[in-house]
Amino acid sequence: MELIHTLYEPAGKGPHPTILTLHGRGASAFDLLSLAPYLCGGRFLIICPQGPLETPIGPEATGYAWYPMSMGGPPDIGSMLVSRQRLQQFLDNCLAHYAIDAKKLAILGFSQGGVMAYSLALANPDRFAALAALSSWLPPELVPHLSLGSSAQALPTLVQHGTQDSMIEVDRARQSVETLRQARVPLTYREYEMGHEIRPRSLSDLSAWLDEKVPAPIVLANETDGT
């Protein structure tokens, strides 16, 4: 496959409910994989692709990104759309190679990965059962490249943000929420007393929300018919 990625696969042959999980700027394909056991009891197949752009994160360290930083200018929408196309092709390949239940496919993104999650899910809302954007925002310049019609109005969406986030201010999340509400996207919005991060409470809320919104039933391997 074109994008390097990591994978968490639950027990059983599948097909499995699945989350396409997109990391933030400066991280890697391993960054969010550790969430897998804590999301719905480890029952989801978790796929974590790595951003295609190398980006320095220190004197001798390199991370990865989905698009270049704007450095105070307008967002690089062209690069976002190129990465979106690569993610679309990556997802197609994953559906062909892994035991994914295509009717129970969610997408989750943190920070810059959240921008990409917005971009991919709201351009193709019929492909996803749920969208979660954590510590992120929806750039207004990206909105004309989305499909905010009737299909988006059936896509459950969760937005979580920290009130003390110094990297992406909470006002940007609130503006994004207003855009989604105007488009009638079914939305759950939660703020937490935290910075640019995921904490136990927000993780617990995320897990419960996914368990509720991704199409049921998700049957545990040790469940019986009650006999």
Side-chain angles (χ1 to χ4, degrees):
M1 295 184 186
E2 184 179 0
L3 294 176
I4 294 170
H5 60 288
T6 57
L7 188 78
Y8 169 88
E9 191 166 10
K13 65 179 182 179
H16 303 289
T18 300
I19 307 173
L20 180 65
T21 307
L22 308 179
H23 67 77
R25 178 185 174 274
S28 73
F30 291 95
D31 186 56
L32 298 175
L33 188 65
S34 61
L35 299 181
Y38 303 101
L39 293 175
C40 305
R43 288 177 279 145
F44 278 78
L45 173 67
I46 307 293
I47 303 174
C48 304
Q50 185 164 282
L53 304 178
E54 290 191 356
T55 184
I57 56 175
E60 300 179 357
T62 299
Y64 298 88
W66 298 102
Y67 54 87
M69 286 190 67
S70 60
M71 305 303 291
D76 189 340
I77 299 299
S79 292
M80 291 179 189
L81 296 179
V82 169
S83 280
R84 182 171 82 186
Q85 181 60 40
R86 296 182 74 169
L87 280 168
Q88 288 172 337
Q89 183 60 53
F90 172 78
L91 181 56
D92 288 340
N93 291 336
C94 287
L95 287 164
H97 285 87
Y98 297 127
I100 297 170
D101 187 335
K103 295 181 179 180
K104 301 177 184 178
L105 172 63
I107 184 169
L108 179 156
F110 179 82
S111 192
Q112 194 182 85
V115 176
M116 295 308 304
Y118 276 134
S119 180
L120 187 59
L122 294 176
N124 307 273
D126 289 330
R127 299 194 72 170
F128 297 97
L131 159 65
L134 317 181
S135 299
S136 190
W137 70 304
L138 175 57
E141 297 87 348
L142 186 59
V143 173
H145 301 276
L146 306 178
S147 299
L148 297 178
S150 58
S151 294
Q153 293 169 13
L155 177 65
T157 299
L158 172 68
V159 177
Q160 294 183 334
H161 213 92
T163 57
Q164 302 166 27
D165 192 331
S166 60
M167 295 187 66
I168 299 178
E169 297 83 357
V170 68
D171 282 347
R172 295 165 80 183
R174 292 169 181 166
Q175 291 168 3
S176 303
V177 165
E178 184 58 31
T179 298
L180 296 171
R181 285 175 174 160
Q182 289 178 2
R184 298 184 179 179
V185 174
L187 182 69
T188 301
Y189 179 52
R190 296 287 182 267
E191 292 183 0
Y192 302 86
E193 292 186 10
M194 64 181 189
H196 195 69
E197 59 190 325
I198 299 172
R199 285 194 175 178
R201 182 180 174 186
S202 63
L203 180 59
S204 176
D205 289 349
L206 169 63
S207 178
W209 182 85
L210 286 168
D211 219 1
E212 176 188 352
K213 298 299 183 182
V214 176
I218 299 173
V219 181
L220 293 174
N222 62 353
E223 286 184 347
T224 67
D225 294 331
T227 59

